[in-house]
Amino acid sequence: KQEALSSPFFSNRSTEKSSWPAMGLKSSKPQETIAREDGKGFGVSGILTRPPRQPQTWRERLAVIRDNNPDLIATDLRQIDNTEGSRLLGAALKTNTHLSLLYVTTETSMTMGDALATEIGEAIKVNNTLSTLYLNNVLMNDLGASGLAAGLRLNASLKKIDLSMNRITSVGACALAEALRENYTLTKFFLCGNLITDDGAHALLAALDDNQSLDLLDLNSNSSIDVETLSRIRLLLRDRPANRAAAFSDTKPARE
């Protein structure tokens, strides 16, 4: 039996995308003065902002990541359709120093999600720029979760990871829990909608004794996590400094 938990420590992400940085290339060039002809053939001076052409396919977006374009700080890679794409993404992330948010979706195959997560896990061992990673609904199993956990042990830049709506069981959850014991920067971790049972939830709960940075852990809509376990996680996270500050802000009376 599960409990639908609504609190600062569990997520309501209906408006989360509105706070994302703009996807795609931002314009870093100043407006330029141009001369153009009007309908009568006269030269007319004016100001024109030429927005950069946005990459359309995942291959084009991946090429921009590989080229380490400083104007790309957030992007989504939809429908990566082969293992080669996962390898290329991992290689690109190892050398990119500007991208801060990456959103990936794929619905091609179960093995694709594991390859994707494993390659990204290798990349985040050395990538010190990426702060937000969305790998929800990529058909990731425990193999991919374990590969990502290996990278999370060494990563010092990620603050938010979303692995919701995958096929991670308690085996993968235990691997992620061990990684959390050695990670000191992650603050928000979404694992809702997986196949994690009470054993995996207990492993994550125990990891919170060593991990003091996490202030949100979403385990809703998993297989069979006991209400008491979810409540213990909620109570533990409630006392984290960030959540105490948020609670104080909500209850502080307004100045007259």
Side-chain angles (χ1 to χ4, degrees), residues 33-52:
T33 302
I34 64 167
R36 68 182 188 277
E37 290 188 352
D38 63 12
K40 298 179 181 180
F42 294 103
V44 179
S45 294
I47 300 296
L48 176 66
T49 299
R50 292 178 175 172

Side-chain angles (χ1 to χ4, degrees), residues 142-218:
D142 293 327
L143 180 63
S146 297
L148 197 64
L152 193 57
R153 290 174 181 266
L154 301 176
N155 182 268
S157 65
L158 279 166
K159 297 184 181 304
K160 181 189 297 185
I161 298 179
D162 188 340
L163 305 182
S164 301
M165 307 305 295
N166 283 296
R167 303 184 180 187
I168 302 170
T169 73
S170 289
V171 174
C174 288
L176 292 166
E178 289 303 309
L180 287 179
R181 292 181 183 274
E182 301 178 38
N183 182 282
Y184 306 103
T185 55
L186 193 68
T187 61
K188 291 173 174 51
F189 201 6
F190 299 95
L191 286 165
C192 58
N194 279 282
L195 304 174
I196 300 170
T197 63
D198 209 46
D199 289 340
H202 272 288
L204 290 163
L205 174 61
L208 294 178
D209 290 335
D210 294 321
N211 180 295
Q212 296 297 313
S213 64
L214 204 67
D215 56 52
L216 187 152
L217 177 61
D218 189 337

Side-chain angles (χ1 to χ4, degrees), residues 22-132:
M23 291 285 182
L25 292 170
K26 59 185 179 66
S27 178
S28 62
K29 298 181 180 179
Q31 291 179 328
E32 52 187 329
T33 302
I34 64 167
R36 68 182 188 277
E37 290 188 352
D38 63 12
K40 298 179 181 180
F42 294 103
V44 179
S45 294
I47 300 296
L48 176 66
T49 299
R50 292 178 175 172
R53 177 187 176 276
Q54 297 297 328
Q56 299 299 314
T57 67
W58 69 263
R59 291 182 183 276
E60 291 180 348
R61 293 188 179 105
L62 199 153
V64 178
I65 298 173
R66 180 200 61 209
D67 294 341
N68 202 18
N69 190 315
D71 293 333
L72 188 73
I73 60 172
T75 194
D76 62 337
L77 296 174
R78 299 178 185 275
Q79 305 297 328
I80 291 182
D81 59 7
N82 54 44
T83 303
E84 178 69 5
S86 298
R87 187 187 65 78
L88 293 174
L89 174 59
L93 288 175
K94 287 179 180 179
T95 57
N96 185 281
T97 57
H98 299 286
L99 190 70
S100 64
L101 186 152
L102 176 62
Y103 181 84
V104 185
T105 58
T106 179
E107 297 179 359
T108 54
S109 70
M110 291 176 62
T111 56
M112 178 67 205
D114 285 336
L116 182 68
T118 300
E119 291 289 349
I120 292 177
E122 286 297 312
I124 62 175
K125 291 179 180 179
V126 295
N127 181 293
N128 295 312
T129 308
L130 196 67
S131 62
T132 305

